[in-house]
Amino acid sequence: AERAATTAAGLPGVSGVIPPTAAKTSAAAQLVTLTPNEVGVIPVLMYHAFISGQPTDEWTRNLDDFRSDLQFLYDNDFYVITMRELLDDAIAAPPGKHPVVLTFDDSPVNQFRFLIGADGSLTVDPDSGVGIMEAFYTAHPDFGRGGLFGTLPQSCFFTGVDGTESDQIDLCSQKLNFLLDNGYEVGNHTLTHSGIQDVSDDVFKEEIGGAIDALQAFDPRVEANIFVVPFGMYPLADSHPEQREWMQNGFDWNGKSYFLIGSLMVGAEPAYSPVSTEWDSRWIARIQMCDCTAQGGGGWEDTWQAIVADSPTLMYVSDGDPNTITIPN
């Protein structure tokens, strides 16, 4: 037990490992059984639209499949954390659990729909993404809580997949209030969902800084400093190196300073642990929540669900203490 608790001592880049006292011996013995691995990978799952029927592309997820996703994660010892916890390396998952982050792009109404009563009262639609999560989190309080919404301020949870659903743009403030009040996060997906791969510096700053200003107008608590990169297309390295630098170190625009703490890719693999030497907060990989066989694979159903179930040692396994790093010998 003592060896397991002090394995990381003296390794390059690992510090603050505290040898167990007599009072910690039982906890250290538990770690041997749980075999924590805090350099394992962490799934960051990427959702877009939800529908009740059969998805026709990789950007939609059936509502019942979403419920099944949550059940699979719960049954396989995953624990939902926030993106901020991942970025801050403040992962407070219980001992033996695998942290997972849920992310939602584009803010269509099927992610978060209110049902409006005759008296004007608002209740979360149980057949929307947030409604499904709220029901699952309530039924499973040991599952964690969270979800990052890459919210578009000019189309904030207001249109359906085919554009025919009732417009709820006037409820954006109430929806952002609810998200922040209930442990969710509001991310920055640009002002207009335009690609930033090859734009002028002014447009780059307006898309990111303007999104922060617009979202804060709905709820001043919004930080929107976690950037969900549109289409996964970063500024071209050769043409716009300064924009990539701004994504890491911030920029000034219209007399204000803006700073991003992390950026999310449209990737096809889990993210590195924040204590890994491979970690870079500007390039956080995600897994598309789809059966992407027709698109060449790399999605949840066709690739990663089986890997997760069959190779649990690949995953980050928490030691239960966000203030220590525990790795296998």
Side-chain angles (χ1 to χ4, degrees):
E2 183 172 291
R3 184 185 68 181
T6 59
T7 293
L11 290 180
V14 180
S15 61
V17 179
I18 304 172
T21 63
K24 294 181 179 178
T25 300
S26 61
Q30 183 186 33
L31 292 184
V32 174
T33 302
L34 296 173
T35 59
N37 176 18
E38 297 190 329
V39 291
V41 295
I42 298 174
V44 178
L45 308 182
M46 176 176 60
Y47 292 93
H48 287 78
F50 293 104
I51 60 174
S52 58
Q54 180 64 33
T56 58
D57 57 44
E58 70 269 32
W59 309 111
T60 55
R61 190 72 171 156
N62 175 273
L63 290 166
D64 287 335
D65 287 342
F66 181 42
R67 294 183 176 95
S68 296
D69 295 341
L70 297 178
Q71 190 65 55
F72 174 89
L73 294 170
Y74 183 78
D75 292 343
N76 285 272
D77 294 323
F78 282 87
Y79 184 87
V80 177
I81 65 170
T82 65
M83 181 58 67
R84 186 61 184 258
E85 288 176 280
L86 177 62
L87 285 161
D88 289 347
D89 186 24
I91 297 172
K97 295 293 186 179
H98 310 295
V100 61
V101 182
L102 308 178
T103 68
F104 305 85
D105 293 16
D106 300 348
S107 58
V109 73
N110 40 66
Q111 286 181 4
F112 188 0
R113 186 187 298 105
F114 274 135
L115 300 179
I116 305 173
D119 60 352
S121 61
L122 302 175
T123 56
V124 179
D125 186 348
D127 285 324
S128 67
V130 171
I132 290 171
M133 283 189 288
E134 282 296 296
F136 201 89
Y137 292 152
T138 300
H140 304 87
D142 57 339
F143 184 48
R145 168 175 284 273
L148 173 76
F149 289 84
T151 307
L152 298 169
Q154 296 180 352
S155 53
C156 175
F157 305 110
F158 87 106
T159 186
V161 174
D162 56 4
T164 60
E165 287 200 59
S166 298
D167 190 332
Q168 290 198 347
I169 189 67
D170 58 325
L171 299 177
C172 185
S173 290
Q174 293 93 322
K175 290 182 179 182
L176 296 186
N177 294 162
F178 180 93
L179 292 175
L180 296 177
D181 287 343
N182 288 277
Y184 299 98
E185 299 169 290
V186 178
N188 188 327
H189 202 32
T190 68
L191 183 64
T192 67
H193 200 254
S194 297
I196 58 164
Q197 186 182 27
D198 189 14
V199 298
S200 69
D201 291 348
D202 286 341
V203 170
F204 175 90
K205 292 181 177 181
E206 181 179 14
E207 285 291 337
I208 296 175
I212 293 174
D213 291 346
L215 290 168
Q216 289 178 343
F218 289 115
D219 189 322
R221 296 175 297 165
V222 171
E223 293 182 311
N225 55 4
I226 300 172
F227 187 34
V228 183
V229 180
F231 317 110
M233 299 172 66
Y234 286 63
L236 295 171
D238 293 338
S239 305
H240 304 287
E242 72 289 344
Q243 294 177 9
R244 290 195 173 201
E245 188 270 333
W246 293 337
M247 290 176 66
Q248 182 174 24
N249 298 318
F251 58 87
D252 293 330
W253 179 65
N254 283 355
K256 293 175 61 177
S257 296
Y258 299 85
F259 182 73
L260 300 173
I261 62 174
S263 300
L264 309 185
M265 303 164 63
V266 177
E269 60 189 10
Y272 291 111
S273 164
V275 301
S276 167
T277 56
E278 301 295 332
W279 168 259
D280 187 332
S281 62
R282 294 170 298 174
W283 302 90
I284 300 175
R286 296 190 287 171
I287 299 174
Q288 178 78 331
M289 296 305 293
C290 65
D291 179 354
C292 295
T293 305
Q295 289 77 37
W300 178 247
E301 287 187 24
D302 59 90
T303 302
W304 282 102
Q305 184 168 300
I307 294 174
V308 166
D310 295 341
S311 306
T313 57
L314 176 69
M315 300 292 115
Y316 184 114
V317 183
S318 176
D319 67 2
D321 184 351
N323 296 312
T324 64
I325 300 166
T326 306
I327 64 175
N329 184 358

